[in-house]
Amino acid sequence: MFLWILVGVMAAIELVLALSSSGIIGLDNLRWSAYVLGAFWQPVLSGALPPVYPGQTALMFITHAFLHGGFMHLALNVVILLSLGKFVSLHIGAGKTMLVLFLSAVGGAACFGLISSSSAPMIGASGAVFGLIGLWQAVEYRMRRRSGLPVQPVVMTFLGLVVSNILIFVMLSGGLAWEAHLGGWIVGCIAGQGFARR
């Protein structure tokens, strides 16, 4: 249920922004205003630009995850979030799953802020989604090692993620926040070896 509420909030935000961009409601620059206020900005983190409001430097570590670049961007994240999130929550509970999502979003933003030099806004729940992927892979790796099964499927899945990120990065001419994916994945792996173990 909590996953549907989370997805509903993200979908409602995207719907309002899409309607605004189409000129149906409000101002046609509402999307950009939302990005200014809620996206993750590396220049704000580094101090190159001042925050727009008090607390933005801290809040943007989580608010960026609720903003997307359109319904396709949202749909890609939502499909994985719902399917993998349901699987994860059945094994570790709703509370721990929410904590993993939160920490992965923060970790993804932190990794982006530390590695990227981009002045463009970083948006999307993909850091949180990759946290779920990292958690799932950590659990599967540990299970396979404990059972004496080969870990090659886990390694191949990881390599597949790396290759797909490279390909999408090239296809989008650098418009992919792979740093956020990496940060979220690392947090998920750590959680899978720690507090989110079955």
Side-chain angles (χ1 to χ4, degrees):
M1 181 65 179
F2 73 97
L3 290 171
W4 283 103
I5 293 173
L6 190 61
V7 166
V9 171
M10 292 189 291
I13 291 171
E14 180 54 39
L15 178 61
V16 170
L17 297 183
L19 291 174
S20 175
S21 297
S22 301
I24 297 174
I25 62 169
L27 303 173
D28 57 5
N29 66 345
L30 189 57
R31 181 178 293 277
W32 180 247
S33 297
Y35 289 172
V36 168
L37 297 173
F40 185 91
W41 296 90
Q42 196 280 338
V44 173
L45 182 68
S46 67
L49 287 176
V52 177
Y53 57 90
Q56 181 182 14
T57 306
L59 288 175
M60 66 181 184
F61 275 86
I62 192 66
T63 54
H64 75 275
F66 289 90
L67 298 171
H68 290 83
F71 281 111
M72 183 60 70
H73 185 204
L74 174 66
L76 289 172
N77 284 327
V78 162
V79 167
I80 302 173
L81 179 63
L82 289 175
S83 56
L84 197 52
K86 182 179 179 181
F87 170 80
V88 169
S89 64
L90 287 174
H91 288 84
I92 66 172
K96 287 183 179 179
T97 302
M98 284 295 290
L99 184 57
V100 169
L101 288 170
F102 173 80
L103 294 176
S104 298
V106 172
C111 194
F112 180 86
L114 290 172
I115 298 175
S116 177
S117 59
S118 173
S119 60
M122 190 273 286
I123 54 173
S126 55
V129 166
F130 268 79
L132 292 179
I133 295 173
L135 170 65
W136 166 60
Q137 290 187 310
V139 169
E140 185 179 2
Y141 178 84
R142 191 174 62 251
M143 180 273 296
R144 285 181 169 274
R145 286 291 302 272
R146 192 168 53 227
S147 304
L149 297 171
V151 296
Q152 183 180 3
V154 181
V155 174
M156 294 305 293
T157 302
F158 171 75
L159 292 177
L161 286 174
V162 173
V163 170
S164 63
N165 269 266
I166 292 172
L167 290 175
I168 296 172
F169 182 82
V170 171
M171 287 169 52
L172 295 179
S173 302
L176 178 76
W178 63 267
E179 302 92 341
H181 297 175
L182 175 63
W185 184 86
I186 290 172
V187 170
C189 282
I190 294 172
Q193 298 294 344
F195 73 88
R197 292 179 67 166
R198 289 180 58 182

